[in-house]
Amino acid sequence: MFAAAVVVLAAAGASLAQTTAPQWGQCGGIGWTGPTACPSGWVCTVSNQYYSQCLQGAATSTIPPVTSTPPPTSTVGTPTSGSSSATVTVTGAGPGSTLKPNYLWIRAVEAPHFHEYLQSNPLYTASGSVLGSYTTAGQFNVVNGQLVQLLGDGSLLYGVVETRTDPTVMKLRLSFQKTPAPASAGTFAWSGDALQWTIANVTRPNNSAWLACPDGTGAVPLFVNLGPYGYMTPAGCADETIHFYNAATASS
Ligand SMILES: *[C@@H]1O[C@H](CO)[C@@H](O)[C@H](O)[C@H]1NC(C)=O
Ligand SMILES: *[C@@H]1O[C@H](CO)[C@@H](O)[C@H](O)[C@H]1NC(C)=O
């Protein structure tokens, strides 16, 4: 009987999630399964990791401009000669430096990339994944087996792991694209707080094994490690596991 009551409440929570929170109402926080949208002119504002509330269009709730953080050097092109006003920054707009309801930071926890955070490179664009500074950390979650990254306009990017071309390939690059990855491209899941990726007919020694392989430009591309965690590490790479972190702000 108790179990039946829980199911009914869970179903009610799921349908509420489609609706809009009232003015001054809760719109997020850990464990919150209710609405996450606010009425027009109201902004879902994080109070702390357990509580976000719809507030009237307050200035403090506007999304900080991405230009407040310097773009990674790899996103800066060389201005063509004779052009004094070339635009060299090609970063997209991010969701800000405060965690949005239902999203998480993802970071590595082993040296030499301890507390480097998952992000796109260039930032907030459909591009390759890297580990980078907490100041430019992306916001993510796993939804229906997809790794989703939140952008500043509320749209999503989807994680996609490259196809293994032959059985000698032991690392697969993670990138982000604008459309959901096909089911044949594998499945993301949380194991505790660790991000895992699995795919039919590739058996991995450790589904939480990732590789960080600096590319020589200062960027640290991230790969799925199809081999064992912690030994037989490919040259130029470091073994990492990556974990969600749900404090309101990312930190080093
Ligand atoms: C791998 O799995 C897919 C279906 O998920 C199947 O179509 C394909 O034939 C399999 N490949 C091998 C080598 O077993
Ligand atoms: C994978 O490796 C991590 C890091 O060493 C470890 O915590 C975890 O238990 C391993 N999982 C399996 C299934 O071996």
Side-chain angles (χ1 to χ4, degrees):
M1 292 239 291
F2 180 75
V6 169
V7 169
V8 169
L9 286 173
S15 64
L16 272 177
Q18 310 303 319
T19 66
T20 301
Q23 295 175 357
W24 310 110
Q26 185 171 2
C27 55
I30 294 172
W32 175 246
T33 58
T36 55
C38 291
S40 176
W42 293 66
V43 178
C44 188
T45 305
V46 176
S47 300
N48 57 54
Q49 64 190 106
Y50 298 100
Y51 190 76
S52 297
Q53 184 183 25
C54 291
L55 298 179
Q56 223 157 356
T60 52
S61 60
T62 56
I63 294 164
V66 168
T67 48
S68 62
T69 54
T73 50
S74 58
T75 66
V76 178
T78 310
T80 43
S81 64
S83 158
S84 57
S85 60
T87 303
V88 293
T89 304
V90 290
T91 56
S97 55
T98 301
L99 207 54
K100 298 293 182 192
N102 301 325
Y103 286 89
L104 301 160
W105 315 112
I106 297 179
R107 63 186 186 180
V109 298
E110 281 94 16
H113 301 290
F114 181 76
H115 288 184
E116 292 180 14
Y117 285 71
L118 185 61
Q119 47 204 264
S120 297
N121 183 26
L123 291 172
Y124 317 118
T125 63
S127 56
S129 69
V130 293
L131 296 177
S133 168
Y134 72 94
T135 62
T136 51
Q139 301 191 19
F140 303 90
N141 209 339
V142 173
V143 179
N144 297 329
Q146 301 267 340
L147 174 66
V148 298
Q149 178 180 182
L150 180 65
L151 300 183
D153 63 2
S155 68
L156 300 176
L157 295 175
Y158 299 85
V160 61
V161 174
E162 70 178 311
T163 305
R164 191 188 205 188
T165 51
D166 74 71
T168 66
V169 173
M170 294 310 287
K171 66 191 206 336
L172 300 174
R173 185 76 196 275
L174 170 65
S175 299
F176 291 96
Q177 63 182 32
K178 289 186 171 152
T179 53
S184 60
T187 303
F188 292 90
W190 297 116
S191 172
D193 64 0
L195 184 63
Q196 295 197 329
W197 177 81
T198 54
I199 190 164
N201 61 34
V202 178
T203 302
R204 301 171 58 198
N206 188 320
N207 290 333
S208 304
W210 297 82
L211 291 167
C213 310
D215 66 3
T217 71
V220 181
L222 185 68
F223 297 79
V224 166
N225 179 5
L226 297 178
Y229 177 90
Y231 61 99
M232 291 168 59
T233 306
C237 298
D239 288 286
E240 296 289 340
T241 56
I242 57 177
H243 302 257
F244 77 68
Y245 176 60
N246 60 11
T249 55
S251 56
S252 59

